[in-house]
C-alpha cells in the first residue's frame, strides 16, 4: 500500500487536515488515545467551505485539564455562534503524543477537524497558571509556528493570550502578538473581526497590532520596551506609542447578562472537573491579602438565581451529567445560596443529580447549606482556613475565628460525613512557629470532634507553599526558599503523625518554579526556551517535572532564580507588571500590606464601605450582589454598602425554604420491573475509548434520553447498569452488550431510537430486547466470542504459508505465553481457549475464542502473536463481530 501524505488540502475548501492514516498511526502509539479523538457530544462541526475565519482555542495542558476550564467553554460558544467563524480546540500533547508527532513528522492539530495549528488564522492560548509556560512553546513549536513573535510574518497565525497569568505575562511576552488582560467574553468577537479584516486585506501585521491596542484590555507587548539597572532591577518600562502607555483591565460589567454555555462538551474521558460548572459569582472583595484572584477579578459580580437555575436545567438536559458545581472564589458570599440550593434540589433531586460547592469560608457553611448538599450524594467537604491561628488569619485578612471553624466541623460530622479536607498555606509573611503548628492543632481539634459522631473520622490536611503574586499586598514580599519550606513541612509532618490525620503538601520545587515566573520579567523568555529545548514539559505534573533540567537551564541562561523568588522588593521599585491593570492603585496595595503588619482587618467592600482600590467607576463597573429576603422569599440586586440597584428587578426563589427536609420521590426510590439488554457497536475512533470511560458515556446518554432506569441506594446512587467484558483499546466491535434495569415498561424499538439520537459518533444501539430481572448477567451468559481480523501490510495478505501457520497453530497441544504484571508474571496456555481459527481470502482471519467469566481469557492480539511467532505481526484491524450466549 503506498504511503499517504501526512497532511492534505481539503478538496472543496482552502483548509489543510492531517490525513486519517497519519491520525490513526499516532493514536495507536499513545497511552490514552481518547484525549485526541474529538467528536464528543456537543462538540461543534461546520462545513469548511462556509468558514471565513479559523480560530484555535489552545489550552497548554492535557485534555483533562482543558475540558474543565470554564473560560474556554465560554469562548467556544461565543465564537461558534458566528456562522463564518469556526473555533476548534487544541490541547498540549502529552510526552508520548509529542514523541509520536516528531517521529511521524506530523504537526500538532485540532480536535474537531484535525487541522494543523499553523493553518489557523487566530490562535487563542489560555494562560491559566505559570507552570504551563513550556507547554506553550510545545503548542507553537509542534504546531509549526515561529515561537518568537518577532519572527512571524503575514502567513503566520496571530497568537493571542488571556487568562489568570495575563496580569503578569512578561516572562512569555516575547512569544505573543497580543494578550487580553481581564475578561475576554466581550472582546473576543471584536478581535476576531479585526483579524478577519487583516487576513483579507493588505494590512501589515504591525498595523493590525496597533488596531488591537486600541481595544480596552488588549496588551501588545512589542509596543513596550523594558530597560534594566546593572543590579537586575527594572529601570523603566517605555511605551513606543504615544497614546498607549498602560493597559486597562477588560471587565464584564453585568455577569447576569453575559454569555454562558448551556450545551457544554461532554468529554470522552473522565476529566478533572467532570460536572456542570456554573459560575454564580465572579470576583471577590473579601480582600484576602495572599489571593491574586481576589484582586484581579474585582469587582464582585453575581448571577441572579433565576439565571443560574436556567443554565443548570439546560445544561443537565444537554449533557446528562450527574453533578452540578456552583463556582465562585467564595460561594458562601452568595447570600441566596441556601434557598437556591433548596430550589435546585427540589427540581433535580428526582433525577439523582447532586450539587457541590468549592472550598469556601467556614462561617458561610451553615447547617442549612450542609443539609442541602447531602440530599443526593455526599460530595465531600473541603474547608479552607488558609492559616493555622486567628492571628495569622487576620494578617492575611481571612478573619475566621477558630470557633467558626470548629462549629462548621461539628455541623459536618453531625450530618454523617466521615472525611473533611482542610486547605492551608505555610510560609506566609509574618508567620511564626506557633502559627505553623496551629495547623496541626486545628486538625487534632477537628478529629476529636469527629470522634463524637463516628468511629473512624478522617481529617486530610493539604498544605501549599506561599507564593507572592502580582497585584496583591504581598507582591513585594520574599518567598521562602526550598529549604525553608522543607523544614516547615517536616515540622508539620511530625506534628500531624496521628491516626485519622493525613498530611499532603504541594511539590516544593513546583512552588519554587511558580515563584520564579509569577513575578518574572521578559528576560525569562530565554530561560523558558532553554528549558524547553532541554526537555521540560508539564512542570505542574509531579511525574513529568524535571527540576534538574531547570537547574541546568538556570545555569546555561545565566538566570539567578533567587533574584525573582527570595528577594525583598521596596515600595519604589518598578515591578514588571506596573504598566498593566492600571486601574488598580499601587498605593492601595501598599496600604493593605501596612495593615497586614498591624494585624488589621479590612471589611468586605460589597457590604461595607469602599476601600478605594481604583477598580470601580460606580457607573458601569461596580459590585453587583443579590440579597435574600426570607420574609417575602425574593432576591434583589445591590451594590456597595447594600445600595439597591433600581435597574434590576426583584426575583422570587419559588418554593419556600420551609419545605427543606421533606422527602422527595427520586429514581432510587423506584423499584425496577424488568431488564433491557442492548447490543451496540463501537467502531471508528470510538474504539479508542476505554471501558470505564465508555460506561460513563453510556450513563450520560441514558440521562439525555430520559430512560426510566433504576438507581442504587446509599450515599452515592448510580445507574443500575452492567456491561459485557472489556475489550482491548482500539478494537472495533459490533457485538458489545449492556443491561439496564428499568423502572417502567418501554418498547425495545423506542429505546433503540431514543438512545441512538443522543449517543456519540461511532456508538449505536443495533438491537434491544426486554428480559426478566432474574436473567443471568452478560458475563455469565457469554460462551464464545467471534472476531474478524483484516491485514493491511503489503505482502502480509493471504500468503501461501498462512494456511500452514493456522494449521500448525490448531495442531499444537499447548501454546504458552507470559503475561507481564507489576507484582507477578503469569504463564497462560492459550490453545484450549481458541475454538476456531480460519484463514479467509484474500487477507482475513476468522477467530472464535471461548469465554468464561472470572477466568483468564485469551485476547485476539495474543493469538496473532503466537500465530506469527518470531515474525512481526502485520498491521491489522480486529473487529469483534459476534458474542454467542450459552
Amino acid at each position: 500500500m503506498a504511503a499517504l501524505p501526512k497532511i492534505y488540502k481539503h478538496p472543496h475548501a482552502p483548509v489543510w487536515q492531517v490525513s486519517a492514516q497519519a491520525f490513526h498511526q499516532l493514536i495507536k502509539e499513545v497511552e490514552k488515545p481518547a484525549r485526541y479523538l474529538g467528536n464528543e457530544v456537543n462538540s461543534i462541526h461546520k462545513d469548511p467551505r462556509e468558514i471565513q475565519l479559523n480560530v484555535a482555542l489552545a489550552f497548554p495542558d492535557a485534555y483533562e485539564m482543558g475540558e474543565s476550564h470554564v473560560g474556554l467553554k465560554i469562548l467556544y460558544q461565543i465564537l461558534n455562534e458566528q456562522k463564518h467563524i469556526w473555533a476548534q480546540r487544541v490541547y498540549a500533547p502529552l510526552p508520548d503524543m509529542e514523541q509520536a508527532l516528531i517521529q511521524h513528522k506530523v504537526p500538532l492539530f485540532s480536535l474537531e477537524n484535525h487541522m494543523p495549528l499553523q493553518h489557523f488564522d487566530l490562535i487563542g492560548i489560555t494562560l491559566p497558571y505559570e507552570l504551563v509556560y513550556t507547554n506553550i512553546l510545545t503548542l507553537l513549536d509542534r504546531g509549526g509556528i515561529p515561537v518568537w513573535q518577532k519572527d512571524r510574518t503575514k502567513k503566520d497565525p496571530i497568537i493571542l493570550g488571556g487568562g489568570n497569568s495575563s496580569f503578569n505575562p512578561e516572562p512569555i511576552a516575547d512569544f505573543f502578538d497580543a494578550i487580553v488582560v481581564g475578561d475576554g467574553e466581550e472582546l473576543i468577537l471584536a478581535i476576531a473581526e479585526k483579524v478577519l479584516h487583516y487576513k483579507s486585506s493588505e494590512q501589515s501585521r504591525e498595523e493590525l497590532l496597533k488596531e488591537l491596542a486600541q481595544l480596552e484590555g488588549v496588551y501588545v507587548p512589542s509596543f513596550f520596551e523594558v530597560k534594566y539597572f546593572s543590579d537586575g532591577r527594572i529601570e523603566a518600562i517605555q511605551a513606543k506609542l504615544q497614546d498607549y502607555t498602560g493597559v486597562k483591565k477588560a471587565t464584564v460589567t453585568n455577569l447576569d447578562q453575559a454569555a454562558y454555555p448551556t450545551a457544554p462538551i461532554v468529554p470522552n474521558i473522565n476529566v478533572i472537573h467532570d460536572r456542570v460548572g456554573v459560575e454564580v459569582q465572579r470576583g471577590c472583595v473579601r480582600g484576602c491579602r495572599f489571593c491574586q484572584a481576589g484582586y484581579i477579578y474585582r469587582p464582585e459580580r453575581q448571577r441572579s438565581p433565576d439565571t443560574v437555575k436556567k443554565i443548570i436545567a439546560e445544561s443537565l438536559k444537554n449533557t446528562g451529567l450527574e453533578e452540578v458545581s456552583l463556582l465562585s472564589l467564595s460561594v458562601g458570599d452568595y447570600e441566596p445560596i441556601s434557598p437556591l440550593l433548596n430550589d435546585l434540589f427540589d427540581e433535580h433531586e428526582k433525577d439523582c443529580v447532586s450539587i457541590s460547592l468549592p472550598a469556601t469560608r467556614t462561617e458561610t457553611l451553615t447547617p442549612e447549606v450542609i443539609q442541602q448538599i447531602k440530599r443526593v450524594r455526599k460530595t465531600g467537604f473541603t474547608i479552607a482556613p488558609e492559616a493555622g491561628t486567628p492571628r495569622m488569619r487576620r494578617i492575611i485578612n481571612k478573619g475566621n475565628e477558630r470557633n467558626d471553624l470548629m462549629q462548621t466541623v461539628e455541623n459536618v460530622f453531625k450530618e454523617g460525613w466521615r472525611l473533611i479536607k482542610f486547605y492551608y498555606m505555610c510560609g506566609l509573611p509574618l508567620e511564626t512557629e506557633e502559627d505553623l503548628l496551629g495547623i496541626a492543632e486545628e486538625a487534632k481539634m477537628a478529629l476529636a470532634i469527629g470522634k463524637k459522631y463516628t468511629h473512624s473520622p478522617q481529617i486530610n490536611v493539604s498544605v501549599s507553599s506561599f507564593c507572592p503574586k502580582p497585584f496583591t499586598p504581598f507582591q513585594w514580599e520574599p518567598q521562602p526558599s526550598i529549604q525553608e519550606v522543607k523544614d516547615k513541612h517536616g515540622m508539620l509532618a511530625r506534628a500531624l503523625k496521628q491516626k485519622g490525620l493525613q498530611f499532603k503538601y504541594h511539590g516544593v520545587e513546583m512552588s519554587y518554579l511558580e515563584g520564579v515566573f509569577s513575578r518574572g520579567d521578559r528576560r525569562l523568555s530565554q530561560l523558558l526556551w532553554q528549558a524547553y529545548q532541554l526537555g521540560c514539559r508539564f512542570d505542574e505534573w509531579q511525574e513529568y517535572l524535571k527540576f534538574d533540567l531547570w537547574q541546568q537551564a538556570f545555569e546555561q541562561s545565566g538566570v539567578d532564580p533567587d533574584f525573582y523568588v527570595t528577594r525583598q522588593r521596596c515600595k519604589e521599585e518598578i515591578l514588571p507588571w506596573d504598566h498593566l491593570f492600571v486601574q488598580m492603585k499601587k498605593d492601595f496595595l501598599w496600604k493593605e500590606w501596612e495593615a497586614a503588619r498591624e494585624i488589621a482587618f479590612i471589611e468586605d467592600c460589597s457590604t461595607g464601605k469602599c476601600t478605594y482600590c481604583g477598580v470601580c467607576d460606580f457607573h458601569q463597573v461596580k459590585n453587583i450582589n443579590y440579597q435574600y429576603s426570607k420574609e417575602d422569599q425574593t432576591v434583589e440586586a445591590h451594590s456597595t454598602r447594600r445600595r439597591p440597584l433600581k435597574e434590576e428587578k426583584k426575583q422570587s426563589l419559588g418554593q419556600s425554604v420551609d419545605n427543606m427536609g421533606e422527602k422527595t420521590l427520586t429514581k432510587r426510590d423506584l423499584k425496577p420491573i424488568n431488564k433491557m439488554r442492548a447490543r451496540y457497536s463501537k467502531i471508528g475512533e470510538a474504539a479508542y475509548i476505554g471501558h470505564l470511560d465508555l460506561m460513563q458515556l453510556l450513563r450520560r446518554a441514558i440521562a439525555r434520553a430520559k430512560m426510566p432506569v433504576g438507581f442504587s441506594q446509599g450515599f452515592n446512587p448510580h445507574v443500575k447498569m452492567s456491561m459485557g467484558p472489556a475489550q482491548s483499546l482500539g478494537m472495533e466491535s459490533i457485538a458489545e452488550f449492556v443491561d439496564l434495569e428499568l423502572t417502567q415498561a418501554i418498547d425495545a424499538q423506542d429505546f433503540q431510537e431514543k438512545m441512538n439520537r443522543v449517543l456519540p459518533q461511532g456508538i449505536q444501539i443495533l438491537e434491544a430486547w426486554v428480559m426478566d430481572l432474574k436473567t443471568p448477567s452478560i458475563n455469565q451468559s457469554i460462551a464464545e466470542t467471534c472476531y474478524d481480523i483484516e491485514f493491511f501490510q503489503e505482502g502480509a495478505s493471504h500468503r501461501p504459508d498462512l494456511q500452514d501457520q493456522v494449521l500448525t497453530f490448531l495442531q499444537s497441544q499447548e501454546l504458552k505465553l507470559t503475561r507481564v504484571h507489576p507484582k507477578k508474571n503469569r504463564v497462560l496456555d492459550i490453545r484450549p481457549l481458541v475454538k476456531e481459527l480460519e484463514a479467509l481470502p484474500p487477507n482475513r482471519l476468522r477467530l472464535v475464542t471461548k469465554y468464561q467469566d472470572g477466568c483468564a481469557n485469551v485476547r485476539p492480539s495474543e493469538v496473532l502473536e503466537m500465530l506469527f511467532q518470531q515474525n512481526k505481526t502485520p498491521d491489522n484491524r480486529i473487529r469483534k463481530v459476534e458474542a454467542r450466549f450459552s
Side-chain angles (χ1 to χ4, degrees):
M1 182 185 294
L4 294 174
K6 301 295 175 61
I7 63 171
Y8 69 96
K9 197 169 186 179
H10 191 283
H12 305 298
V15 297
W16 291 82
Q17 293 174 277
V18 171
S19 70
Q21 183 193 44
F23 174 74
H24 284 99
Q25 184 62 49
L26 291 170
I27 61 175
K28 286 178 182 177
E29 298 181 14
V30 298
E31 178 187 5
K32 193 171 283 190
R35 288 179 171 131
Y36 310 101
L37 297 181
N39 284 324
E40 309 99 321
V41 170
N42 296 332
S43 60
I44 295 175
H45 296 262
K46 298 187 177 184
D47 185 343
R49 293 169 295 184
E50 299 177 358
I51 303 305
Q52 299 174 31
L53 189 75
N54 285 290
V55 180
L57 294 177
F59 195 88
D61 208 331
Y63 177 92
E64 296 94 310
M65 306 296 290
E67 278 302 320
S68 302
H69 194 266
V70 172
L72 197 70
K73 297 176 184 180
I74 293 172
L75 297 180
Y76 188 77
Q77 172 184 293
I78 292 172
L79 287 165
N80 281 315
E81 283 176 345
Q82 310 301 309
K83 291 183 179 180
H84 64 294
I85 298 175
W86 190 3
Q88 303 183 47
R89 295 160 297 141
V90 180
Y91 297 108
L94 271 290
D96 57 355
M97 175 56 99
E98 186 182 0
Q99 287 307 308
L101 291 170
I102 294 170
Q103 180 183 344
H104 295 286
K105 297 182 174 58
V106 176
L108 184 61
F109 51 86
S110 66
L111 266 64
E112 278 77 1
N113 201 34
H114 298 169
M115 185 172 172
L117 210 53
Q118 67 201 78
H119 292 293
F120 281 87
D121 304 308
L122 172 64
I123 299 175
I125 302 178
T126 305
L127 309 177
Y129 26 81
E130 295 86 355
L131 294 184
V132 298
Y133 285 172
T134 53
N135 293 353
I136 292 172
L137 302 184
T138 305
L139 290 170
L140 297 173
D141 198 23
R142 295 278 73 82
I145 300 162
V147 168
W148 300 91
Q149 185 271 340
K150 61 183 176 60
D151 296 332
R152 295 184 200 124
T153 63
K154 178 86 174 181
K155 69 180 179 62
D156 296 308
I158 298 298
I159 308 301
L160 179 72
N164 289 5
S165 294
S166 67
F167 287 82
N168 179 30
E170 292 304 284
I172 51 174
D174 290 338
F175 307 128
F176 283 84
D177 294 301
I179 296 168
V180 172
V181 180
D183 301 329
E185 297 101 309
E186 296 172 0
L187 264 178
I188 190 62
L189 289 181
I191 292 171
E193 291 303 325
K194 288 185 180 296
V195 173
L196 178 57
H197 172 72
Y198 159 77
K199 171 189 173 182
S200 57
S201 70
E202 298 299 317
Q203 190 181 40
S204 70
R205 204 172 183 94
E206 184 171 354
E207 289 170 337
L208 168 65
L209 295 181
K210 285 181 179 179
E211 283 198 8
L212 292 177
Q214 295 173 13
L215 299 173
E216 185 169 302
V218 175
Y219 172 42
V220 180
S222 59
F223 291 157
F224 291 86
E225 184 179 0
V226 184
K227 295 187 175 182
Y228 301 91
F229 289 115
S230 58
D231 64 2
R233 292 177 298 117
I234 293 176
E235 180 181 359
I237 301 173
Q238 296 180 338
K240 295 181 180 180
L241 302 181
Q242 188 174 1
D243 57 347
Y244 189 59
T245 57
V247 179
K248 288 186 173 183
K249 182 189 82 162
T251 302
V252 169
T253 57
N254 191 322
L255 198 66
D256 204 43
Q257 297 174 7
Y260 204 84
T262 56
I265 289 168
V266 182
N268 281 330
I269 62 176
N270 189 35
V271 298
I272 299 300
H273 300 300
D274 208 1
R275 58 185 73 101
V276 172
V278 181
E279 186 186 29
V280 298
Q281 174 179 305
R282 186 177 302 179
C284 172
V285 287
R286 288 280 189 167
C288 298
R289 296 180 176 117
F290 63 87
C291 179
Q292 185 187 40
Y295 289 89
I296 62 176
Y297 288 120
R298 293 183 173 209
E300 176 186 271
R301 292 145 292 161
Q302 295 181 348
R303 276 194 168 88
S304 70
D306 277 0
T307 301
V308 171
K309 289 192 286 186
K310 288 174 184 174
I311 292 172
I312 289 172
E314 284 294 309
S315 298
L316 290 173
K317 182 182 76 172
N318 293 326
T319 64
L321 293 167
E322 55 284 318
E323 184 179 341
V324 173
S325 183
L326 303 182
L327 306 178
S328 167
L329 291 172
S330 181
V331 73
D333 291 337
Y334 191 82
E335 189 174 291
I337 188 69
S338 185
L340 173 61
L341 284 171
N342 187 70
D343 271 15
L344 289 174
F345 274 117
D346 284 351
E347 176 65 24
H348 303 294
E349 184 181 7
K350 65 182 184 298
D351 296 318
C352 294
V353 172
S354 61
I355 300 173
S356 64
L357 306 178
T360 188
R361 298 174 65 90
T362 56
E363 71 273 21
T364 61
L365 279 172
T366 64
E368 292 78 18
V369 170
I370 295 169
Q371 289 168 19
Q372 292 282 5
I373 291 172
K374 75 168 190 176
R375 282 174 64 174
V376 173
R377 290 182 184 87
K378 289 186 176 176
T379 52
F381 262 100
T382 302
I383 301 173
E386 309 290 3
T389 61
R391 169 192 169 275
M392 195 68 238
R393 286 195 280 269
R394 286 186 69 84
I395 288 173
I396 64 175
N397 212 50
K398 189 77 175 178
N400 329 65
E401 294 299 329
R402 185 166 282 178
N403 289 342
D404 294 331
L405 174 60
M406 296 307 148
Q407 184 59 60
T408 299
V409 168
E410 180 122 25
N411 293 337
V412 172
F413 279 124
K414 188 186 297 184
E415 292 298 331
W417 272 265
R418 294 182 179 181
L419 169 67
I420 298 178
K421 299 176 184 178
F422 281 166
Y423 179 84
Y424 288 96
M425 300 179 74
C426 72
L428 287 159
L430 308 177
E431 180 184 76
T432 66
E433 185 175 311
E434 181 183 351
D435 296 319
L436 184 67
L437 292 177
I439 295 173
E441 185 180 349
E442 291 186 342
K444 290 175 180 177
M445 292 173 66
L447 187 66
I449 292 171
K451 288 179 178 178
K452 291 163 41 181
Y453 299 96
T454 177
H455 293 298
S456 55
Q458 181 75 32
I459 303 295
N460 288 357
V461 178
S462 179
V463 175
S464 65
S465 307
F466 166 66
C467 179
K469 296 287 186 176
F471 298 106
T472 69
F474 292 155
Q475 65 181 359
W476 293 275
E477 283 301 287
Q479 179 174 332
S481 67
I482 287 178
Q483 189 56 52
E484 287 173 322
V485 175
K486 286 183 176 179
D487 291 343
K488 291 175 184 292
H489 287 172
M491 189 180 301
L492 283 172
R494 290 187 293 273
L496 289 164
K497 198 170 184 180
Q498 180 179 329
K499 183 180 178 182
L501 299 179
Q502 186 176 21
F503 174 49
K504 296 180 180 178
Y505 54 84
H506 189 63
V508 179
E509 288 84 5
M510 285 186 189
S511 296
Y512 186 80
L513 281 179
E514 183 183 350
V516 171
F517 293 107
S518 68
R519 295 186 292 174
D521 54 46
R522 291 191 185 187
R523 291 171 293 187
L524 295 183
S525 60
Q526 289 292 342
L527 166 67
L528 281 165
W529 179 241
Q530 187 68 39
Y532 170 75
Q533 291 180 307
L534 288 171
C536 295
R537 307 285 193 279
F538 288 90
D539 302 299
E540 76 286 10
W541 293 44
Q542 191 67 55
E543 59 265 45
Y544 294 122
L545 175 65
K546 300 173 182 175
F547 193 65
D548 58 327
L549 295 184
W550 276 103
Q551 290 174 310
Q552 188 177 334
F554 289 138
E555 185 176 346
Q556 291 179 358
S557 59
V559 169
D560 175 13
D562 284 340
F563 176 82
Y564 298 98
V565 180
T566 61
R567 182 174 64 89
Q568 176 78 52
R569 279 79 165 165
C570 66
K571 180 183 179 182
E572 293 75 22
E573 180 172 341
I574 296 175
L575 303 174
W577 52 89
D578 277 354
H579 57 307
L580 304 176
F581 189 16
V582 294
Q583 301 103 311
M584 177 65 75
K585 296 177 181 177
K586 200 171 180 180
D587 282 346
F588 160 74
L589 295 172
W590 184 261
K591 287 177 182 176
E592 277 292 300
W593 168 224
E594 291 177 328
R597 282 182 287 190
E598 296 169 3
I599 318 182
F601 180 75
I602 306 299
E603 64 181 327
D604 180 345
C605 74
S606 68
T607 55
K609 65 180 181 179
C610 177
T611 53
Y612 302 103
C613 66
V615 174
C616 294
D617 63 14
F618 303 105
H619 297 289
Q620 294 296 320
V621 183
K622 58 194 173 188
N623 291 320
I624 300 178
N625 52 71
Y626 288 85
Q627 308 296 321
Y628 177 67
S629 170
K630 193 170 184 178
E631 288 72 24
D632 58 3
Q633 296 173 13
T634 60
V635 291
E636 186 176 21
H638 289 70
S639 189
T640 302
R641 290 189 176 179
R642 297 186 180 272
R643 290 193 295 268
L645 296 175
K646 296 180 180 178
E647 64 270 24
E648 299 289 335
K649 294 180 179 179
K650 282 188 177 183
Q651 295 181 5
S652 171
L653 273 186
Q655 298 181 12
S656 169
V657 293
D658 295 335
N659 293 337
M660 189 178 64
E662 290 186 5
K663 177 67 175 174
T664 300
L665 191 65
T666 71
K667 287 183 177 179
R668 62 182 167 182
D669 298 315
L670 302 175
K671 292 184 178 181
I673 60 171
N674 56 26
K675 184 187 292 186
M676 181 76 73
R677 178 165 292 176
R679 179 172 70 90
Y680 65 95
S681 61
K682 191 176 74 161
I683 60 175
E685 294 171 9
Y688 291 95
I689 298 173
H691 189 69
L692 294 178
D693 293 321
L694 181 63
M695 288 178 66
Q696 188 78 290
L697 288 179
L698 289 174
R699 280 196 291 264
R700 289 167 180 175
I702 289 163
R704 291 193 299 277
K706 298 188 180 303
M707 288 294 125
V709 292
F711 277 76
S712 63
Q713 301 297 308
F715 292 126
N716 189 26
H718 56 270
V719 174
K720 288 189 172 182
M721 176 179 81
S722 61
M723 298 178 66
Q727 300 300 316
S728 299
L729 204 60
M731 186 172 72
E732 292 187 328
S733 175
I734 57 171
E736 295 300 291
F737 292 86
V738 61
D739 282 351
L740 300 172
E741 293 188 15
L742 302 177
T743 57
Q744 67 183 61
I746 181 172
D747 177 71
Q749 183 66 30
D750 191 33
F751 170 86
Q752 181 178 347
E753 291 174 359
K754 287 182 177 179
M755 287 293 293
N756 284 340
R757 283 198 288 266
V758 297
L759 281 167
Q761 185 174 327
I763 301 173
Q764 287 285 284
I765 304 293
L766 302 178
E767 59 177 329
W769 57 96
V770 178
M771 309 178 74
D772 187 83
L773 280 173
K774 295 181 180 179
T775 304
S777 70
I778 298 168
N779 288 352
Q780 291 172 333
S781 304
I782 293 177
E784 297 170 358
T785 309
C786 308
Y787 302 93
D788 177 82
I789 303 172
E790 179 183 8
F791 297 105
F792 297 126
Q793 187 171 307
E794 190 174 357
S797 58
H798 196 65
R799 300 175 303 187
D801 62 339
L802 187 56
Q803 283 281 16
D804 296 336
Q805 287 174 304
V806 169
L807 185 62
T808 301
F809 183 100
L810 294 175
Q811 290 177 343
S812 301
Q813 295 299 310
E814 62 177 29
L815 290 167
K816 292 184 177 180
L817 55 79
T818 302
R819 284 184 174 173
V820 179
H821 292 277
K823 293 184 179 180
K824 184 180 179 180
N825 292 347
R826 182 177 180 181
V827 177
L828 177 67
D829 181 9
I830 70 168
R831 180 61 192 90
L833 303 176
V834 176
K835 182 182 179 183
E836 299 175 26
L837 182 62
E838 181 183 5
L840 301 173
N843 58 352
R844 311 180 91 88
L845 282 175
R846 188 176 71 89
L847 169 67
V848 180
T849 64
K850 299 176 183 178
Y851 181 85
Q852 188 172 355
D853 188 32
C855 299
N857 293 287
V858 66
R859 303 167 190 144
S861 58
E862 293 172 330
V863 174
L864 294 180
E865 180 185 332
M866 299 304 293
L867 184 69
F868 289 95
Q869 295 290 334
Q870 303 301 321
N871 299 319
K872 181 184 176 183
T873 303
D875 288 343
N876 59 79
R877 185 199 68 186
I878 303 173
R879 175 176 284 194
K880 180 180 172 184
V881 294
E882 185 183 358
R884 297 171 182 170
F885 291 84
S886 56

